[in-house]
Amino acid sequence: MFKRTLVTTALPYANGPVHIGHLAGVYVPADIYVRYLRLKGRDVLFVGGSDEHGVPVTIRARKEGITTQEVVDRYHELIKSSFERFGISFDVYSRTTSKIHHKFASDYFRKLYDSGKFIEQTTEQFYDPETGHFLTDRNIRGECPHCHAAGAYGDQCEKCGSTLSPEELINPYNAETGNALVKKPTSHWYLPLDQYQQWLEKWILEDHKEWRPNVYGQCKSWLDGGLRPRAVTRDLDWGIPVPVEGAEGKVLYVWFDAPIGYISNTKELCDAQPEKWGKWETWWKDQDTRLIHFIGKDNIVFQSRWLIYLAG
């Protein structure tokens, strides 16, 4: 039997309020489980927090004519108060814009960087010369090359369902501004997940068959298709700066930054109340700690990627 249980819930994105589906699918079940463990006298820690980096919050800020910080401040407080009013009993609910998280995530990246765990690659990506921004796949639209529907996204056509890449779109443009795009070279650091394929197959497919079938199946489909290097940095003016000389204008990718929030939020609580919670390492590194994620069925793809990403 495990000595303690760490329970986390998917970090809600600070770009809008939580709704009843979020509560029913993730947070109420997690809260019920945590309350059960507490009633049984078990040692349990319930961790939550807001995910506050990435592109969507910057787009909302530009549309509203306010700063990105004002956007995430508004929705973090709204989400946090909603959980409190609904009685969700987090032991800590913090955010990825906290000073503790910024330092922890930055140090995490730097340790991997200094250990030679990343590879650096230069690729050509779509760039809006009028706004001066590189774009994510989802912020690029164009004509679908298969059904020729207008306004297909850079990752999928909503009309015919085809999986796409931005390079396949006909006449791609910025979904936010309508501006035509150009290709521009940019360098980033990647985690070579392909180098960990064999280890991850054993860790997931053999060692964790207790996972829900749909989560297990999603991870298996990526492994069956062959893992590829995945970027851990991006060109953006909102986020945690890449702690490497010459990396100005680049931040940690939200894929890398946000899941570290589970750990940094734990550290924030343990640093504030060490006499009650002990050291954060005990909750994340000790073999006698059981880790349980509540993620919600509508977020399986996103969160399953995090599991592979963090494990790798």
Side-chain angles (χ1 to χ4, degrees):
M1 179 182 291
F2 291 97
K3 292 181 178 179
R4 65 194 70 83
T5 302
L6 174 63
V7 177
T8 72
T9 55
L11 305 180
Y13 195 61
N15 193 38
V18 290
H19 56 69
I20 194 65
H22 294 137
L23 289 163
V26 180
Y27 304 102
V28 170
D31 188 68
I32 291 172
Y33 180 66
V34 168
R35 288 173 182 270
Y36 165 77
L37 291 180
R38 288 173 181 154
L39 287 170
K40 294 279 287 184
R42 303 288 174 77
D43 196 6
V44 57
L45 174 57
F46 190 17
V47 177
S50 299
D51 177 3
E52 302 185 1
H53 294 133
V55 171
V57 290
T58 67
I59 293 175
R60 180 176 285 274
R62 286 196 292 271
K63 286 181 178 179
E64 296 188 17
I66 59 178
T67 67
T68 309
Q69 188 66 56
E70 287 175 313
V71 171
V72 297
D73 285 347
R74 175 206 301 167
Y75 287 111
H76 169 71
E77 291 303 325
L78 178 60
I79 293 168
K80 184 179 180 181
S81 65
S82 296
F83 286 142
E84 290 171 349
R85 285 183 283 122
F86 211 80
I88 306 300
S89 57
F90 288 113
D91 292 305
V92 58
Y93 187 86
S94 192
R95 54 198 306 191
T96 58
T97 56
S98 71
K99 290 182 179 179
I100 287 179
H101 176 73
H102 270 232
K103 184 177 187 313
F104 196 94
S106 182
D107 291 346
Y108 196 104
F109 175 93
R110 188 70 206 199
K111 183 174 182 179
L112 293 174
Y113 175 87
D114 291 339
S115 301
K117 300 299 184 183
F118 298 135
I119 57 175
E120 188 175 359
Q121 294 181 350
T122 299
T123 60
E124 286 197 336
Q125 297 183 13
F126 281 107
Y127 179 82
D128 186 333
E130 292 191 39
T131 64
H133 293 110
F134 286 94
L135 275 73
T136 62
D137 293 356
R138 199 66 179 174
N139 292 110
I140 300 171
R141 290 202 183 191
E143 181 183 331
C144 176
H146 303 290
C147 71
H148 298 284
Y153 289 103
D155 59 357
Q156 181 178 338
C157 176
E158 300 291 333
K159 184 175 181 180
C160 69
S162 297
T163 299
L164 302 172
S165 67
E167 288 75 15
E168 297 177 89
L169 294 176
I170 301 170
N171 299 322
Y173 61 89
N174 186 333
E176 182 186 359
T177 65
N179 298 336
L181 304 176
V182 298
K183 282 290 197 68
K184 184 177 178 179
T186 182
S187 296
H188 285 286
W189 287 271
Y190 291 73
L191 183 64
L193 288 174
D194 52 310
Q195 296 180 16
Y196 301 95
Q197 174 92 24
Q198 187 174 359
W199 179 84
L200 283 169
E201 284 180 350
K202 180 182 184 303
W203 188 76
I204 293 173
L205 303 183
E206 296 180 23
D207 297 347
H208 286 286
K209 291 184 177 180
E210 79 279 6
W211 288 0
R212 295 282 186 176
N214 44 3
V215 176
Y216 181 90
Q218 184 65 64
C219 291
K220 186 177 186 301
S221 70
W222 284 319
L223 290 164
D224 289 346
L227 298 178
R228 295 180 294 276
R230 188 163 179 86
V232 295
T233 63
R234 67 174 309 160
D235 296 285
L236 195 63
D237 55 6
W238 173 253
I240 301 172
V242 175
V244 175
E245 186 176 353
E248 290 76 16
K250 300 182 188 296
V251 300
L252 302 186
Y253 210 130
V254 71
W255 287 107
F256 183 86
D257 148 41
I260 295 172
Y262 295 122
I263 308 173
S264 64
N265 291 350
T266 306
K267 184 178 187 303
E268 181 178 329
L269 177 66
C270 291
D271 287 354
Q273 302 178 52
E275 68 287 346
K276 180 176 181 180
W277 298 106
K279 297 180 179 180
W280 72 266
E281 289 93 342
T282 302
W283 292 98
W284 282 96
K285 297 181 179 182
D286 196 296
Q287 293 296 317
D288 289 326
T289 301
R290 175 177 55 172
L291 174 61
I292 297 179
H293 295 288
F294 281 78
I295 60 179
K297 66 180 181 180
D298 63 331
N299 212 8
I300 286 171
V301 172
F302 191 63
Q303 297 282 344
S304 295
R305 267 195 202 128
W306 278 8
L307 290 171
I308 288 180
Y309 201 41
L310 279 176

